[in-house]
Amino acid sequence: MLGQTAAIEVRSLWKIFGPKADRILRGPLADLEPAELRAKTGCTPAVRDVSFSIAPGEVFVVMGLSGSGKSTLVRCLTRLIEPTAGEIHIDGEDVRAASPARLRELRRHRVSMVFQHFGLLPHRKVIDNVAYGLEIQGVSKAVRHQRAQEILSLVGLEGHGEHYPDQLSGGMQQRVGLARALAVDPAVLLFDEPFSALDPLIRRDMQAEVIRLHREVGKTMVFITHDLSEALKLGERIAIMRDGKIVQIGTPEELVAAPADDYVADFVSDVPRDGVLSLRWICREPEPDEPLDGPHLPVDTLIRDAVPAALATARAIRVVAGDELVGVVDRVDILQVLARDEVAGARGKVGGKTS
């Protein structure tokens, strides 16, 4: 992000629940593990010295198990939960220094949030639910209804504006919640496990919808989830949290190929590597006498997408970045990855492990 203002910049952020929480940061108690700190002080460290930057237009996923601090973190970004210490900047503006009036403006105009529970107004039609944020801003009824109709079309709900929320399915209601967040044209969208209560098929459809909308509107998105497959599907980068701390931040490829510790490695152990890793992670230097007249593939080709080319030739495949040779792979290299995935999948079924 050289020369570019981060959409969101977080530095040394803490949130400690409990009495006199701010005093804990000025002494050795801050270094204690959460259980020990609770036993000694009655305080719970939900977010512990967290720092990260998010580029404009990036989809940044924060994931972790229940109690890891991810939902507290996202609520701290707009001070729905007041942080104990640290810095938060959105588009360069110091959120922690914002007055109550300025904070309301930030929430109304620049940052929108989509929650797990839709929070739709049952006595209002869909179009008025979508236009609610614009109504709060003082936008005229004609203008806000026109904008709401446009957004309903964008999220696939054209023709449903005159319905009431209880006339819609759960997936459609979540689309209304998404449309309401988009209607005010925010710079940043925050998602707090928005699809976790939906049926698996509807959840998959909503994930695809978020991907499509990001392609079309290009908003900066922060997505909170406890589901690894969802994180890998949506995130350009993923932060994994444990006990209030960020353990690792990286692309899906980086997390799967180079986990920072055993905790992350265990998280990603059952992920089919061939569907996440590209050829850059398995290509090698050519052998001294190895022919280089085989087919070529871009370095960012997924391993599974390289299988047909590998099976169609006995020659090594040249892995290239533009005109530059990065390395080579052959069918043995690719089949080794597929074999590891097969063994890991079988081990996961036997152990009953799920993500």
Side-chain angles (χ1 to χ4, degrees), residues 216-231:
E216 292 192 16
V217 299
K219 302 293 184 185
T220 303
M221 297 181 177
V222 182
F223 200 99
I224 307 299
T225 183
H226 65 271
D227 184 88
L228 179 61
S229 62
E230 186 166 75

Side-chain angles (χ1 to χ4, degrees), residues 12-337:
S12 301
L13 186 68
W14 287 80
K15 177 57 188 177
I16 301 174
F17 293 100
K20 302 178 181 178
D22 57 328
R23 297 185 183 180
I24 292 173
L25 300 177
R26 296 194 289 268
L29 291 173
D31 296 326
L32 296 179
E33 289 301 307
E36 191 176 357
L37 183 63
R38 279 194 299 272
K40 285 182 176 292
T41 67
C43 292
T44 299
V47 177
R48 306 170 66 197
D49 198 20
V50 164
S51 299
F52 58 86
S53 295
I54 301 175
E58 183 178 7
V59 180
F60 187 82
V61 173
V62 182
M63 74 156 298
L65 302 177
S66 296
S68 61
K70 57 190 184 298
S71 289
T72 301
L73 171 61
V74 76
R75 283 168 165 77
C76 283
L77 297 181
T78 56
R79 290 170 55 192
L80 292 174
I81 292 177
E82 195 65 43
T84 304
E87 301 177 19
I88 304 166
H89 291 83
I90 295 179
D91 289 336
E93 180 175 352
D94 187 347
V95 175
R96 295 207 66 204
S99 66
R102 180 60 193 148
L103 199 54
R104 285 193 296 272
E105 288 298 300
L106 182 77
R107 293 170 183 165
R108 288 176 180 176
H109 294 274
R110 292 170 58 193
V111 182
S112 287
M113 196 158 186
V114 182
F115 296 95
Q116 175 181 341
H117 303 291
F118 319 133
L120 303 181
L121 302 171
H123 60 287
R124 289 191 169 209
K125 294 179 179 179
V126 165
I127 192 168
D128 291 310
N129 270 280
V130 174
Y132 184 67
L134 296 171
E135 183 179 347
I136 291 175
Q137 292 179 10
V139 176
S140 69
K141 184 174 182 178
V143 172
R144 67 178 185 257
H145 273 201
Q146 180 180 353
R147 172 67 176 167
Q149 292 286 16
E150 293 170 358
I151 299 299
L152 284 171
S153 296
L154 184 65
V155 301
L157 288 178
E158 187 173 8
H160 290 84
E162 295 302 309
H163 291 112
Y164 286 91
D166 64 1
Q167 296 175 300
L168 305 180
S169 67
M172 293 172 76
Q173 289 182 36
Q174 190 57 289
R175 286 174 186 263
V176 176
L178 181 56
R180 181 178 56 191
L182 287 167
V184 297
D185 195 24
V188 176
L189 281 164
L190 307 178
F191 297 84
D192 188 11
E193 301 206 56
F195 310 143
S196 60
L198 299 177
D199 292 336
L201 290 178
I202 299 175
R203 181 172 186 157
R204 186 179 63 191
D205 289 345
M206 288 304 300
Q207 291 165 356
E209 187 69 13
V210 167
I211 293 170
R212 182 185 69 82
L213 285 171
H214 183 256
R215 270 200 311 266
E216 292 192 16
V217 299
K219 302 293 184 185
T220 303
M221 297 181 177
V222 182
F223 200 99
I224 307 299
T225 183
H226 65 271
D227 184 88
L228 179 61
S229 62
E230 186 166 75
L232 294 172
K233 184 174 183 178
L234 297 178
E236 295 174 81
R237 286 189 303 147
I238 301 167
I240 294 185
M241 291 190 72
R242 181 187 188 189
D243 294 335
K245 292 184 176 181
I246 289 181
V247 181
Q248 184 174 359
I249 297 177
T251 65
E253 277 194 275
E254 289 166 345
L255 295 181
V256 172
D261 61 14
D262 291 343
Y263 181 75
V264 180
D266 188 54
F267 242 119
V268 302
S269 62
D270 292 340
V271 174
R273 294 162 61 90
D274 68 302
V276 177
L277 300 187
S278 64
L279 294 180
R280 79 173 71 250
W281 292 98
I282 64 167
C283 66
R284 54 178 173 79
E285 291 289 328
E287 299 293 336
D289 298 325
E290 191 168 14
L292 295 178
D293 56 353
H296 69 273
L297 289 173
V299 69
D300 58 358
T301 303
L302 289 179
I303 294 171
R304 69 181 178 198
D305 293 338
V307 170
L311 295 179
T313 179
R315 299 284 192 178
I317 295 171
R318 292 171 293 135
V319 180
V320 298
D323 295 328
E324 180 185 353
L325 179 67
V326 177
V328 298
V329 295
D330 58 30
R331 63 176 63 177
V332 174
D333 300 320
I334 291 174
L335 289 173
Q336 284 177 340
V337 176

